[in-house]
Amino acid sequence: GVSEALYEATFYWMMVDKAYQGTATNNRGHFAEAFAKERLASVFGAGNVFANVHILESKGKELSEIDVLVALGNRAIIVQAKSKRLTIEARKGNDKVLKNDFKKSVQESYDQGRSCAAALADAAYKLVDATGRELNLARDFKEVYILCVVSDNYPALSFQARQFLKHQETEVIKPPFVLDVFTLDAIAEMVQSPLRFLSYLNRRTEIDDKV
């Protein structure tokens, strides 16, 4: 439709401006993070949603960063947002290019989220928000969900995630959920109860490879 064409074409218009490319890319990333935080806060409440959470080792060295963290009781959601989009060649079906694009977006997003999930349950690591304030959260999580959120919609995203994404789950760290910002928006609009949202994530991640 017209709205999709405007959303897609704007990216290429900005990429023509070489001096603005870096700024445009950064802004795409900031948008995905801010949008994910806003939509999740509409479900879980602003007090349970934190942006740009830094994970620090005992000596203060940063291990990694969570783009958006939701903590509700003993459940947590880690969101890693990526603005890297599929190239035109990948969209045409070039398998080699597709795998490379997927690695730079979804796989790297998951790998970062997975390391954050492991550290989240370890009290040896400190959690610090964007303002430098330490988050005093209970760390005995029973379920941790990793959401890999991308900025662009393309129909084969779920199928490609099942084919290409290398992941490792545990009893606590659930399989990843790969989705775009539009899907996150729709889920947050239709599933506005925190418990139902978590229930949806549980079912979606547990049965995704069986559908």
Side-chain angles (χ1 to χ4, degrees):
V2 176
S3 58
E4 182 179 359
L6 286 172
Y7 185 85
E8 292 285 338
T10 305
F11 171 80
Y12 295 103
W13 296 341
M14 290 188 289
M15 288 300 103
V16 173
D17 187 345
K18 300 295 183 184
Y20 188 68
Q21 279 186 1
T23 302
T25 301
N26 289 336
N27 285 341
R28 280 170 58 83
H30 294 325
F31 161 74
E33 293 175 19
F35 187 78
K37 179 187 177 185
E38 176 189 326
R39 300 310 293 134
L40 289 169
S42 73
V43 176
F44 293 93
N48 297 311
V49 182
F50 312 92
N52 304 119
V53 177
H54 302 272
I55 299 177
L56 307 180
E57 297 176 352
S58 57
K59 295 183 179 180
K61 182 180 178 182
E62 183 169 328
L63 173 71
S64 192
E65 180 185 354
I66 300 173
D67 290 337
V68 181
L69 171 66
V70 178
L72 185 70
N74 55 11
R75 266 62 175 178
I77 301 171
I78 291 174
V79 177
Q80 297 299 149
K82 287 292 182 182
S83 59
K84 176 72 174 71
R85 61 178 294 142
L86 279 183
T87 59
I88 293 177
E89 280 300 311
R91 287 171 180 260
K92 287 180 179 178
N94 186 319
D95 191 55
K96 183 177 180 181
V97 176
L98 176 58
K99 289 181 180 179
N100 186 54
D101 283 2
F102 191 88
K103 180 180 183 298
K104 290 179 179 178
S105 55
V106 179
Q107 187 65 59
E108 289 183 4
S109 172
Y110 170 74
D111 291 343
Q112 184 177 357
R114 179 64 175 77
S115 67
C116 291
L120 196 61
D122 189 342
Y125 294 97
K126 289 174 59 177
L127 304 178
V128 179
D129 69 11
T131 67
R133 178 176 61 93
E134 183 175 357
L135 302 180
N136 295 313
L137 303 175
R139 306 288 282 275
D140 55 338
F141 295 107
K142 288 188 176 181
E143 293 178 357
V144 177
Y145 297 94
I146 302 172
L147 272 57
C148 303
V149 178
V150 299
S151 303
D152 299 295
N153 168 58
Y154 60 101
L157 180 60
S158 295
F159 175 73
Q160 290 171 5
R162 285 195 293 269
Q163 277 205 316
F164 299 136
L165 185 59
K166 298 176 181 177
H167 58 89
Q168 181 182 21
E169 58 268 11
T170 68
E171 187 175 339
V172 172
I173 302 173
K174 301 303 179 182
F177 182 17
V178 182
L179 67 165
D180 54 48
V181 291
F182 309 102
T183 302
L184 178 60
D185 185 29
I187 297 171
E189 181 178 347
M190 292 186 288
V191 188
Q192 296 184 351
S193 160
L195 294 181
R196 289 190 176 183
F197 194 102
L198 288 167
S199 177
Y200 175 81
L201 288 185
N202 181 273
R203 284 162 173 73
R204 179 66 184 251
T205 55
E206 292 292 343
I207 70 172
D208 191 56
D209 62 343
K210 300 178 179 65
V211 177

